[in-house]
Structures are given as structure tokens and as C-alpha cells.
Amino acid sequence: MLSDLTARLGEIRTDWNLDEVEALFALPFNDLLFHAQRVHRQYFDPNSVQVSTLLSIKTGACPEDCAYCPQSVRFDTAVETERLMEVEDVLEQARLAKAAGATRFCMGAAYRSPKAKQLATIEEMVRGVADLGLETCATLGMLNDEQAKSLKDAGLDYYNHNLDTSERYYEEIITTRTYQDRLDTLQAVRNAAIKVCCGGIIGMGENPTDRAAMLHTLATLTEHPESVPINLLVQVEGTPLYGSDPLDPLDFVRNIAVARLVMPASHVRLSAGRTQMSDETQALCFLAGANSIFYGEKLLTTANPEANRDRRLFDRLGINAEPPPGEAQTA
Ligand code: SAM
Ligand code: DTB
Ligand code: SF4
């Protein structure tokens, strides 16, 4: 019954069933947002948002065929291939990100899976970024247990690896690796005691059940991911998904709210796609429980809102950037 379901909201559960997640999606918008905001306040300061900065440390020429991605070698996009950056250049970008207020620095590489030599260089980057006092995050494709352990030893705090969509819809989007490959990487990351950052993309032509199913899979992992990025598809010319029907912004907000409800203590990141959103849609996302963003003018290869626009938005909403872990809130 719906009243039984809503009475349990706020509990950290990993035993959700798909019907329950779909019932949350079906709530009237105001009820859904009310519950999401109520639960958000049980676990978080409602006026505080975690700020991460993203850097593409190796760009393009990726062998995978993810239909949304401008970096796949199989699609003709405007992305210029760049080899793995020098460690010192990455650290310079990390210093700038820290000076601009980021507390987490996320390094992304267009790999199917990193090779030993690449991993060794990336571990130097991780050590250097951690020494700057930033939290470290990387997204490098598939990892096995050994690779995850060695990243942990280098000081990696978070690993981002997304499910991207539901298991059912997955084969329409990626054929070069399986859903189970993704779950195996997430397990390797967990085994190494690295925090998990895992979410997906909406607006790729999936149906409402697919959206519920993706959140259901995330919320029934043995442990919820600490960070859950919800990306709105950034449509890039040359990718197979370019020209997909645009998503109703209120459906995006619903997705954030349900993510908040099924994983109450996780950071939910309003991730890619913010340049296409009005400030009002973003404000609704924060009300629905989003409490993390990427800050800085670029995501990996596509645009993100200008830093000024984000500062103005935070000011208009009275939102503070979350202090780094271990430091007290200032305002
Ligand atoms: N190559 C690695 C991998 O796929 O795991 C790491 C980088 S990959 C670009 C990281 C994530 O970015 C993808 O899993 C996907 O969720 C997201 N992403 C990539 N292109 C996107 C797009 N056009 N719109 C929204 N999200 C996107
Ligand atoms: C995630 O979930 N979103 C980020 C991050 N993890 C690595 C990437 C978004 C990429 C958007 C397309 C681009 O800029 O290339
Ligand atoms: Fe490669 Fe990652 Fe893009 Fe897929 S999402 S094509 S694995 S860079």
C-alpha cells in the first residue's frame, strides 16, 4: 500500500522492489518533492551542495561504442584526440580547481580499461591531487581487483563508473561491454574500499520503467553508492543519440527526487546537462535532493555552465558550497 511505502521513506533500505520505485515515480509531483525534501533534511544540510571539478586527462579515440559518447572512435564528432596528460599539467589544473572552490577533483579518461603504464602515471596524479588537500576521484573504464587496490594505495577516494541505464535498455546503448562487466567493476571498487560514484544518464529514449529499473539496481546493491550522478543526455552531433527527443525537465526533477528517496544518505549529483537547464529547473533539482554538481566551464569534452552563472545561482538560492570533509560549515 502507498501509505506503507511512504511511512518507510527515510529508512536506508537495499531491499526495494521495482514496484515500489515505480510507485514513487507515479506520485503527484508535489507529494514526491515534499517527501524528497523531507528525507533530504534527515541526512543533509538542505542549503549545502558539494562541488567537484572534472578534467579529461585522456580524450577521445575510445574503442567502446557508447551511443551517447562523443569520445568513441566509432563516431565522427568534433572531439580532438589527446594523449594522457603530463602529471604536472594535471596538478596545475587541480590547483586552479581548488582555488575556485572545488573540494573534489575528478579525472576522466576515455579508456575501455587502463593499461599498467597508464595506471602508474594516473596513480602519480592521484597522489599529487591528494597532497593538495583535494578529494580524489577517477573514471577510467573497467577495473579488476588488482587495479582497484593499487588506485586505493595511491590515495584514490572515489571511483566513478556508471550503470548508464536499465539492464533491459543497456544493449540499445552499448554493445562492447556488458551490464555484468559494469557490476563487476563496481564490486572491485567496493572490495578495494574506494567509495563508489555510480549513476546514469536519462533522456536516451528509455521508457519510465527503465528509469525506475536503473535506480532500483543502484538502490539494491549491497551498499548504496556514496555518490549518484544523474546525467541528462548531452546531445553531441555525430553520436547516434544526437536528435533524440528532448526530455521534459520535470521528468528529470522526478528522477532526482526518486534517487534521493531510494538512497537517502548518498550524495545525488545534478551532473551533465545543466547548460540546457534553466536556473528554475536546477533549483527544483536542489529542492528534490540534489546536493552535488560539477563546477567549471567544461565537463569532459562538452560545456558546463560558466562559473559566474553558478555563483549567481548559489547566491540567489542561498546555497553554500559544502566544506571539505573534516572542516566545519562556515555559514
Ligand atoms: N571511459 C570511462 C567509462 O566510460 O567508464 C570514463 C569516462 S565516461 C565519459 C563517464 C560517464 O560520462 C559515462 O559513463 C556516461 O554516464 C557519462 N557521459 C558520457 N557522455 C555523456 C553525454 N553525452 N551525456 C551525458 N553523460 C555522458
Ligand atoms: C558522470 O556521471 N558524468 C561526468 C562524469 N561522470 C565523468 C561526465 C559527463 C560527460 C558529458 C559529456 C562530455 O563532456 O564529454
Ligand atoms: Fe569510451 Fe567511456 Fe565514452 Fe564509452 S563513455 S565511449 S567507454 S569514453
Side-chain angles (χ1 to χ4, degrees):
M1 248 172 53
L2 193 58
S3 58
D4 297 333
L5 173 62
T6 52
R8 291 189 66 189
L9 293 175
E11 265 179 54
I12 296 180
R13 302 174 48 192
T14 55
D15 65 348
W16 293 96
N17 63 54
L18 183 59
D19 288 348
E20 290 177 309
V21 183
E22 290 197 279
L24 294 175
F25 270 100
L27 285 171
F29 190 77
N30 285 346
D31 289 346
L32 176 59
L33 258 70
F34 167 73
H35 288 300
Q37 176 62 203
R38 181 173 65 78
V39 167
H40 187 53
R41 284 167 186 256
Q42 276 176 245
Y43 291 91
F44 294 103
D45 173 348
N47 304 309
S48 185
V49 167
Q50 191 277 328
V51 174
S52 296
T53 290
L54 199 51
L55 177 68
S56 183
I57 58 171
K58 186 268 169 184
T59 308
C62 182
E64 303 292 273
D65 69 351
C66 314
Y68 49 78
C69 187
Q71 300 198 68
S72 167
V73 74
R74 298 157 194 251
F75 315 138
D76 187 12
T77 67
V79 167
E80 304 259 350
T81 302
E82 284 167 41
R83 49 195 295 272
L84 185 60
M85 286 174 70
E86 300 292 332
V87 175
E88 196 36 57
D89 294 340
V90 171
L91 298 185
E92 187 50 34
Q93 293 301 314
R95 283 184 205 103
L96 292 172
K98 187 177 181 189
T103 57
R104 190 177 310 160
F105 192 68
C106 181
M107 293 161 271
Y111 293 137
R112 169 178 166 82
S113 179
K115 308 251 179 323
K117 188 157 168 262
Q118 296 159 344
L119 201 61
T121 307
I122 292 166
E123 283 168 6
E124 267 187 70
M125 296 172 186
V126 170
R127 282 194 199 91
V129 173
D131 284 348
L132 295 174
L134 284 162
E135 290 185 297
T136 55
C137 175
T139 179
L140 317 168
M142 293 189 282
L143 294 185
N144 59 30
D145 278 313
E146 200 190 325
Q147 292 170 311
K149 282 202 190 74
S150 93
L151 281 164
K152 171 73 183 177
D153 290 343
L156 190 71
D157 296 310
Y158 288 83
Y159 195 77
N160 168 243
H161 196 68
N162 291 337
L163 291 180
D164 280 347
T165 188
S166 68
E167 186 166 12
R168 182 200 75 85
Y169 197 57
Y170 185 85
E171 62 188 31
E172 307 284 327
I173 303 295
I174 299 145
T175 69
T176 48
R177 70 173 87 153
T178 65
Y179 213 67
Q180 189 58 47
D181 288 332
R182 298 209 171 233
L183 294 167
D184 291 347
T185 293
L186 294 173
Q187 192 56 52
V189 171
R190 268 281 170 242
N191 294 344
I194 297 172
K195 293 190 198 89
V196 173
C197 172
C198 182
I201 309 178
I202 65 167
M204 299 195 294
E206 70 288 342
N207 66 34
T209 303
D210 292 317
R211 289 183 202 142
M214 182 182 86
L215 292 181
H216 175 257
T217 304
L218 291 169
T220 53
L221 293 170
T222 324
E223 235 181 297
H224 293 165
E226 281 78 2
S227 173
V228 181
I230 305 293
N231 296 277
L232 172 64
L233 173 69
V234 180
Q235 299 201 15
V236 181
E237 208 169 340
T239 59
L241 292 181
Y242 183 68
S244 299
D245 287 341
L247 189 80
D248 177 349
L250 296 182
D251 283 337
F252 188 85
V253 177
R254 272 195 186 84
N255 227 276
I256 297 273
V258 177
R260 166 52 60 229
L261 289 172
V262 297
M263 292 168 280
S266 303
H267 274 80
V268 174
R269 180 172 306 124
L270 167 53
S271 199
R274 291 196 301 118
T275 47
Q276 304 145 65
M277 286 177 207
S278 67
D279 282 2
E280 292 75 12
T281 299
Q282 294 186 59
L284 279 176
C285 288
F286 294 131
L287 189 66
N291 59 347
S292 173
I293 59 162
F294 284 121
Y295 180 75
E297 268 106 72
K298 208 157 161 213
L299 290 165
L300 290 172
T301 66
T302 64
N304 199 37
E306 307 239 326
N308 280 335
R309 178 179 162 197
D310 280 342
R311 271 195 295 273
R312 239 181 303 122
L313 179 61
F314 275 24
D315 283 350
R316 286 171 76 200
L317 299 175
I319 285 178
N320 304 304
E322 188 176 291
E327 279 183 32
Q329 186 90 35
T330 45

